[in-house]
Amino acid sequence: MASKNGVMVFIEQDGGKIADVSLELVCKGRELADRLSVHLEAALCGHGVGALAQTLIAHGCDVVHLADDARLNHYRTLPYSRVVAGMVTRAQPQIVLYGATVVGRDLAPRIASQLKAGLTADCTDLQIGEHTEPGSGKVYKDLLYQIRPAFGGNIIATIVCPETRPQMATVREGVMKLTPADPARKGRVVPAECVLGDEDLVLDILKREKKEKSVNLKAANIIVSGGAGVGGKDNFRLIFDLAHTLGGAVGASRSAVDSGFIGKDHQVGQTGTTVRPKLYIACGISGAVQHRAGMQESAKIIAINSDPEAPIFNIAHYGIVGDLNRVIPMLIKAYKSK
Amino acid sequence: MPYDCIVIAKQVPDTKNVTGKAMKDDGTVNRAALPAIFNPEDLNALEMALDIRDRFGGSVTVVTMGPPAACELLRDALYRGADRVILLTDRRFAAADTLATSYALSCAIRKIGKFDLIIGGRQAIDGDTAQVGPQTAEKLHLNQVTYVEKVQDIRDGRIEILRSIDGGYEVVRGRLPILLTVTGTANEPRPPRAKRLLQFRHHTCPAEITNRIRKQLEARGREPSEAEMAEAVNPVLTEAVKQDRMLTVWDADAVGADHDKIGGRGSPTKVKKIESVVFKGRDLKWIEANDEGAKGLVRELVTEHILG
C-alpha cells in the first residue's frame, strides 16, 4: 500500500465531539482509498483532541495528522487554514474531503485558493473513474468524480480536476453512509506542526452559543413530513400525531419552515437535512427538486396530496390523493387497529 | 470614521422560480430562458455596505464580473444607492470556475486600491458554492468572516460581527481590512429609489449598446452589415459619452490579470458531464383515500417489516 498521495479527510470536531459528517467521510474515504490502493489520512485539529484519533482509526484511517494546540480550540479561519494547508502540503494527498458545514465551507475554499487546487462544493456522490479531455484526447486514470446538483437542483453535474492536485470536495451531512467501526484496527498518529504567526491570530471569538438540534432526523427509521399543504402551525399537530403513533420523527419541507409552521431543525432537503429512512411519509408536500434531493433515497415513500399531478408522486411508492386532514386520521386509526 | 466598502455581486439565472416557460418538453430546465437577477444574498451584501455608509460615512463600490448584460445589475445597485459601479467583462473570463473568478475579482479589487471592507453574499443561487468569497480573501491575504448576520460595531480599526455557525451563533472581533460574506437573513435590502432610477436608468456600456442594437437590427430578419452596425451604434455611443452615462468597464488587461489564470484556462475544475434531472417514474401504487385503503397500506407495510 502506497503511503504517498493518499486520500485525506478534514475532521471537524467541536468540544471533543467529531462531527457526524466527518465520520461519514472517513467511511467514504476508506472506500476511495481502497479503490486507489492508497492510505486514508485524517487531518485533526483542536485542543485536547488526541483521544479522537483512535475513533478515526477504528473507522478506517491509516494515518491521523494531529495538530493539538490551545489556539485551535475553536475553529477560526486563519489558524486552521494555515495548519491544514501545511498538513496537505506535507502529506501530498491526491484527494481531500471536507464536510459541507459552515466550517468546511469556510475552510476548504481558503485552502483551494492557496494551493490553486480545484474544489467542488456540496457533492452528493464521489466516485473514481477515467476521463478523456475533449480537446486533446488525453486520458486521465483514477480521477475523482465530484458529483453534485447545480442550478437549484435542476441538473446533476460531474466535475473533475484533470491536472491539479489535490482534488478537493465538500460533502453534505447524511449523504455518505456510516459503516461500523472496528476497534481493533491499527493506525498511526503523526503530530503536526502548528506554527502560527501574529497575523494568523487576528480574530477573537467573544461569544459562542450552540444548541443541540431538537430533532435527530438522520437517526430516524420513520419520518412523517409536512409541507405547505398542511396549511398552518396548529394543523401540524396532525403530522406530530402520525409520527408519534408510528414511532417516527417529524420532518418538513422548506416552505413549511419558511411559513413558520415548524422550526428549521425539522427541514428536509437540499438546504436542510438529507435523510434516508425506511419509511418517509410526505404530507401536503408538492415535491420540489430541492426537497426530493434530501429524501429520495428513502426505502419506501408514501405521498399524500390533494393534487394528483404533484411531482412528489413521481418518486413515491405509494400515492394517496386526498385531503390530509381526512387521510392522516384514517392512517392513525388503521395502524392502531392493526 | 468613514469606511470604504467594496461589494462583490453576481448576476444569476433565477433558479428559484422555474416557471413552465423555462421547462423543455423533456421535463428539463431551459437555463437560457430563466430571467437574470441580482443574486439575492448579494443584495443583502449591498444593503450591509449601504448601512455601514449610513452609520459611519464612507463609500460603496460594486464590482461584478459577467457579460455586458450585467450592466443591469450595476444600474440596480446605483438605484439602491451605490456610489460607484464597475463591470469586469472580457470574453477571456468566460468558463471561469470559482478559483479563476476569485483571481479576476482580486485583480479588480487591487486596482480599486483603497478599501476597509469587502462584502459579498454567502453564495450565489446558480452554483450554491459559497467559494468565491473565501477564495478572493485568500488571494488578497485578507482575513474573512463568512455567514455574517450582523455588523454590531466598527471602531478603532476593529469590527465586531455576529455570524451563524452550525446549530448556533458566534460573536467575533476582527481587524480591518476584512472580507465578509452575508446570509439572506442578515437584513432587508432597501428598494431602488425613484429619483436615482431616473438619474441612472440610461447608464450603459459600449458592449451593451452594441448588443442591443444588433438585436434590434436582427429583428428585421437578417444579419446587419458592419457598416450598418457602425452607423446605428456610433451616434448612440457618442450621445452616451456626451451625457456622461458610461459605466466603468474593465477587461482582463485593465486589471493586469495573467491570462493563464483566468477563464477556462485558469480553472482547475472541468465539467465532465451534465445530466438534467428528470422526474424518474417509479412503480407507484395508488391507495384509495378511505379506511379500506389505509388498512390495506398499513397491512402491506407491516408484512414488509417497515412498520412494527
Side-chain angles (χ1 to χ4, degrees), chain A residues 105-106 110 113 148 151 156 158 160 204 206-207 209-211 292 314-315 317-319 335 338, chain B residues 31 123 127-128 142 144 146-147 167 171 173 270 272-273 275 279-280 282 285 287 300 308:
Chain A
R105 296 172 106 227
D106 188 272
R110 192 89 199 180
S113 185
R148 71 175 305 242
F151 244 79
I156 301 286
T158 301
V160 290
D204 301 315
L206 305 179
K207 194 173 170 190
E209 289 260 343
K210 261 183 113 158
K211 268 200 304 238
R292 298 199 316 262
N314 289 295
I315 58 158
H317 302 87
Y318 299 98
Y335 184 79
K338 79 176 160 73
Chain B
R31 280 170 273 161
Q123 63 191 41
D128 296 315
L142 287 177
Q144 73 191 36
T146 54
Y147 291 80
V171 178
R173 186 170 54 211
K270 309 284 175 205
K272 178 175 172 59
K273 192 170 67 172
E275 289 165 286
F279 292 119
K280 53 177 176 191
R282 272 195 183 146
K285 189 167 173 182
I287 306 291
E300 194 169 328

Side-chain angles (χ1 to χ4, degrees), chain A residues 232-254:
Chain A
K233 198 173 177 172
D234 293 342
N235 217 28
F236 236 85
R237 179 52 39 207
L238 270 175
I239 307 295
F240 277 93
D241 286 348
L242 180 57
H244 181 72
T245 306
L246 303 179
V250 171
S253 72
R254 182 178 177 162

Side-chain angles (χ1 to χ4, degrees), chain A residues 151-231:
Chain A
F151 244 79
N154 292 295
I155 59 170
I156 301 286
T158 301
I159 313 288
V160 290
C161 306
E163 292 288 348
T164 54
R165 294 292 177 275
Q167 310 160 83
M168 309 214 301
T170 67
V171 177
R172 295 178 55 81
E173 182 182 329
V175 172
M176 301 301 173
K177 278 189 190 138
L178 196 62
T179 48
D182 172 9
R185 250 189 126 265
K186 294 270 181 283
R188 270 187 311 134
V189 179
V190 180
E193 279 178 51
C194 192
V195 184
L196 298 171
D198 289 344
E199 72 280 9
D200 297 318
L201 300 164
V202 290
L203 192 91
D204 301 315
I205 299 173
L206 305 179
K207 194 173 170 190
R208 203 159 179 277
E209 289 260 343
K210 261 183 113 158
K211 268 200 304 238
E212 283 297 307
K213 278 196 171 177
S214 60
V215 54
N216 188 353
L217 288 174
K218 280 201 322 171
N221 278 321
I222 297 171
I223 296 174
V224 184
S225 269
V230 177

Side-chain angles (χ1 to χ4, degrees), chain A residues 138-157:
Chain A
K138 192 170 171 191
V139 178
Y140 297 86
K141 292 227 180 295
D142 293 340
L143 286 190
L144 180 68
Y145 288 0
Q146 303 152 41
I147 301 164
R148 71 175 305 242
F151 244 79
N154 292 295
I155 59 170
I156 301 286

Side-chain angles (χ1 to χ4, degrees), chain A residues 95-116:
Chain A
I95 293 170
V96 187
L97 306 175
Y98 308 78
T101 57
V102 169
V103 167
R105 296 172 106 227
D106 188 272
L107 176 67
R110 192 89 199 180
I111 291 176
S113 185
Q114 190 183 331
L115 303 179
K116 300 180 178 61

Side-chain angles (χ1 to χ4, degrees), chain A residues 34-76:
Chain A
D34 286 343
R35 169 78 174 69
L36 296 164
S37 308
V38 296
H39 274 162
L40 177 64
E41 311 186 37
L44 175 60
C45 302
H47 183 46
V49 293
L52 301 178
Q54 191 47 48
T55 310
L56 299 171
I57 290 166
H59 276 90
C61 290
D62 301 302
V63 181
V64 176
H65 300 270
L66 172 65
D68 204 318
D69 190 296
R71 295 168 297 180
L72 300 175
N73 187 22
H74 289 303
Y75 174 80
R76 288 181 293 171

